[in-house]
Amino acid sequence: MVIALAQLMVVLDATIVNIALPSAQRELGISDADRQWVITAYTLAFGGLLLLGGRIADLVGRKTTFMVGLVGFAVASGLGGAAGGPGLLFGARALQGAFGAVLAPSALSLLTTTFRDGKERGKAFGIYGAIAGGGAAIGLIVGGVLTEYLDWRWCLYVNVPIAALAFLGATVFLHDRPERGGARLDVLGAVLGCGGLVAIVYGCSEARPRGWDDALVLGLLCGGVALLAAFAGWQTRARHPLLPLHIVRDRNRGGAFLTMALATLALFGMFLFLTYYFQIVLGYSPVKAGLAFLPMTLAIVTGATQISARLLHHLPPRLLMVPGALLASGGLYLLTFLTARSAYAPRVLPAELLVGLGMGLIFMPVTATATAGVAPRDAGVTSATLNTAQQVGGSIGTALLNTLATSTGAAYLADRLTAAARAGRLSPAVRDALVKEGVVHGFTVAIGVSAAIMLLAACVAGLLITARAPRHGPAPDRSAAPAPDTAR
């Protein structure tokens, strides 16, 4: 429960401020050009520093970094909530992301090393998978309630009591044995790896307002890829690599990382589109828009804790991941039939339930497969790599699909406005209706691409992940040797 609280706080903070952003923008006088930094500052620091945070957890101790991360995250949240201007809010969000990059991998590595018995491990990963898949939706729900009934600042203040409760629980219940083994921090690897991730995440965030053909965006993406290539080359020669390459060369683990990246790429774009659809097209209030995600959240929890957690030790992981990805793809496909006049219950609700159930079937076995058989000394960086796959996948998906939705929606709207003007029917009411139709058209095109990406995730899971059902009893401790390279 302690680990779950901390992980929920980190995951929901990526979306909890989305609904509160208009209120914060008005109160603090944030310009339209700068408002993205409330989101970007967090994602940059979080996504860019995850690998470093994971390795620090391995070297210093998972419990220690977990507790430091909780304190730092709470302090940063309090600063953001008390911000009197844009600069302090942006800085606090970046600080949140930095401490989140320490907290998230230490939480998952503690989960990996604490729960060794097969049955208890399945329950623990079921809860973690539910949080990983549903945390973003929970953030939208909580953000809507806090913004409408309290104040946007409580979207940040709420982290303080959560962190305090998790800190007290960690003091009493969590135990850890540091696995230093004489290793040192790979400084050059940290600079190359974190620099590459920051450049890619920043490039994706700038692609939304600037476009993918912008010189800055292309420079950031190309520079990020070059830095990651240099990072990979250095890891083969470093005495104490930041990311030992045997972790990602393992066929099952690499397949789990890629499946996670593709699934979140498709999922995070859908969260963005439905948020706008509920509020702009259907006219929902922040609370109603947040609560509209509740069925999906419940479906994710059900899929992860009641289905995946019960079946994982009887079925190979891919027999959960592939059907899950197919269900999620089917739910996304249903959303491509939305119109500006669609009702929630007959059109949106069935799609949410399918997507939620599918994601619950994906996230739990992906997490268990990615962390299975990892030496305790590498648990932190392995957890960080999984979190990085999720974060980078979400950043790329949000930027790529948002650009696609915007461009196709604008083209659709221009054609319809021209046709209406030629026919002499371009009244203000017709214009407003066409604007909504253009927005929805862009959303449905982008969600159709999301459905195809989810099908690709099903193919990756089915072809790359060949692990058998985990055995009952304590998980083997492979700390004496690196994880085997099963890709050969």
Side-chain angles (χ1 to χ4, degrees), residues 126-450:
I127 295 171
Y128 184 91
I131 292 171
I138 294 172
L140 295 171
I141 296 170
V142 175
V145 172
L146 292 176
T147 300
E148 187 156 331
Y149 293 112
L150 292 174
D151 185 75
W152 69 265
R153 297 178 184 275
W154 279 98
C155 292
L156 296 166
Y157 285 146
V158 71
N159 293 319
V160 177
I162 295 176
L165 185 61
F167 186 90
L168 291 175
T171 303
V172 176
F173 298 112
L174 294 185
H175 305 283
D176 183 38
R177 177 172 58 89
E179 298 283 344
R180 295 182 180 86
R184 298 290 184 271
L185 184 64
D186 176 15
V187 177
L188 179 57
V191 171
L192 293 174
C194 295
L197 290 172
V198 166
I200 289 176
V201 173
Y202 185 33
C204 290
S205 66
E206 286 295 310
R208 277 176 273 178
R210 293 173 177 267
W212 289 94
D213 56 351
D214 180 79
L216 176 63
V217 173
L218 291 175
L220 286 168
L221 295 178
C222 292
V225 170
L227 285 173
L228 290 182
F231 169 75
W234 169 247
Q235 297 307 282
T236 63
R237 304 191 302 275
R239 184 176 181 184
H240 302 292
L242 182 71
L243 175 60
L245 293 184
H246 66 80
I247 290 174
V248 294
R249 281 199 301 258
D250 180 271
R251 175 172 180 162
N252 292 301
R253 194 169 296 117
F257 292 152
L258 185 54
T259 301
M260 173 67 84
L262 291 171
T264 52
L265 195 158
L267 183 66
F268 275 58
M270 184 209 66
F271 279 135
L272 176 67
F273 300 143
L274 282 184
T275 300
Y276 277 99
Y277 182 77
F278 291 147
Q279 295 191 66
I280 294 177
V281 179
L282 300 184
Y284 287 4
S285 67
V287 168
K288 190 173 181 181
L291 292 176
F293 286 99
L294 184 59
M296 183 190 303
T297 305
L298 295 177
I300 291 174
V301 172
T302 300
T305 62
Q306 302 303 311
I307 300 177
S308 287
R310 296 174 184 272
L311 295 180
L312 182 63
H313 295 283
H314 303 284
L315 296 174
R318 65 178 174 181
L319 292 188
L320 293 171
M321 297 180 203
V322 173
L326 293 176
L327 282 174
S329 180
L332 290 170
Y333 179 71
L334 289 181
L335 291 175
T336 63
F337 295 98
L338 288 178
T339 69
R341 294 172 295 278
S342 292
Y344 174 81
R347 289 297 181 93
V348 180
L349 181 58
E352 282 193 349
L353 293 175
L354 285 176
V355 172
L357 189 60
M359 298 311 294
L361 292 175
I362 294 173
F363 277 115
M364 187 271 183
V366 161
T367 304
T369 301
T371 56
V374 176
R377 65 171 178 269
D378 292 330
V381 73
T382 303
S383 303
T385 305
L386 182 64
N387 276 281
T388 299
Q390 182 177 0
Q391 179 64 32
V392 173
S395 297
I396 293 175
T398 301
L400 178 64
L401 296 171
N402 186 60
T403 303
L404 178 62
T406 302
S407 60
T408 55
Y412 178 92
L413 178 60
D415 290 342
R416 295 303 184 276
L417 287 175
T418 300
R422 288 175 179 172
R425 296 186 292 103
L426 194 55
S427 65
V430 170
R431 178 185 291 273
D432 290 343
L434 289 176
V435 168
K436 287 187 177 182
E437 288 180 9
V439 169
V440 174
H441 177 76
F443 290 172
T444 56
V445 171
I447 289 176
V449 174
S450 296

